[in-house]
Amino acid sequence: MVEITRSYEIEVETIDSDHRRLVKIINEITQALDDKREAECARLVPEFVTLSKQHFAREEALLAKNGYPGVEKHREHHAALDGKMDTMLALAERVVESTAARDALRKELIFFLMDDVINEDMDFKSFLMDAASRKGNSTDG
Ligand SMILES: [Fe+2]
Ligand SMILES: [Fe+2]
């Protein structure tokens, strides 16, 4: 089971709650695989991809609104993940009949979440925390 430790929280509620939703659905997907509910897994993966894309858009808007200088670079990082999401969707279509697809999907999902989503966001954590303290209020919304 995947968990976000305290040090991997951005401390901006809109972003952290999105990340928690993404973690939750990954845990549901891996649980479905463990329980041999492959059809359920196949249904959840497209939901995960949609949520991820919505999250990226929300995060980019928040970074732009707060004047983060690396916003373009982070936008490009998100855009570069389209191929990985396509791979996960393709694997999800094969989980019912293929053990190899199930194993590959599990690995792809966890690396995607931990490395590409959560770890890469550490780049702007201190910027947003500083922005919030400069304004004396929240960077949310
Ligand atoms: Fe994020
Ligand atoms: Fe991000």
Side-chain angles (χ1 to χ4, degrees), residues 5-23:
T5 56
R6 189 79 175 77
S7 60
Y8 283 97
E9 286 179 2
I10 301 292
E11 300 188 27
V12 174
E13 187 49 30
T14 47
I15 295 183
D16 288 329
S17 74
D18 276 0
H19 288 174
R20 282 193 295 270
R21 283 172 77 197
L22 293 172
V23 167

Side-chain angles (χ1 to χ4, degrees), residues 10 15 19 22 55-56 59 74 78 117-118 121 124:
I10 301 292
I15 295 183
H19 288 174
L22 293 172
H55 166 64
F56 294 157
E59 191 173 276
H74 200 74
H78 288 161
V117 177
I118 292 175
D121 285 359
F124 58 74

Side-chain angles (χ1 to χ4, degrees), residues 34-46:
D34 289 346
D35 297 347
K36 311 250 179 285
R37 288 180 284 114
E38 289 87 5
E40 173 79 355
C41 166
R43 185 183 69 75
L44 287 169
V45 171

Side-chain angles (χ1 to χ4, degrees), residues 4-110:
I4 306 181
T5 56
R6 189 79 175 77
S7 60
Y8 283 97
E9 286 179 2
I10 301 292
E11 300 188 27
V12 174
E13 187 49 30
T14 47
I15 295 183
D16 288 329
S17 74
D18 276 0
H19 288 174
R20 282 193 295 270
R21 283 172 77 197
L22 293 172
V23 167
K24 184 167 177 277
I25 188 163
I26 293 274
N27 286 330
E28 286 169 8
I29 292 168
T30 53
Q31 189 64 54
L33 288 173
D34 289 346
D35 297 347
K36 311 250 179 285
R37 288 180 284 114
E38 289 87 5
E40 173 79 355
C41 166
R43 185 183 69 75
L44 287 169
V45 171
E47 207 176 297
F48 173 76
V49 167
T50 301
L51 274 177
S52 296
K53 290 183 176 177
Q54 289 169 349
H55 166 64
F56 294 157
R58 228 186 327 266
E59 191 173 276
E60 288 161 16
L62 185 77
L63 292 176
K65 186 182 150 213
N66 282 279
Y68 176 57
V71 62
E72 225 15 78
K73 187 167 167 261
H74 200 74
R75 204 192 302 274
E76 285 166 17
H77 160 68
H78 288 161
L81 300 175
D82 280 350
K84 288 192 184 185
M85 289 188 275
D86 289 345
T87 301
M88 294 189 284
L89 291 171
L91 287 169
E93 287 179 9
R94 295 172 43 227
V95 288
V96 174
E97 74 270 5
S98 164
T99 308
R102 290 195 283 277
D103 293 346
L105 179 64
R106 193 191 288 268
K107 283 200 199 93
E108 290 281 336
L109 283 168
I110 291 173

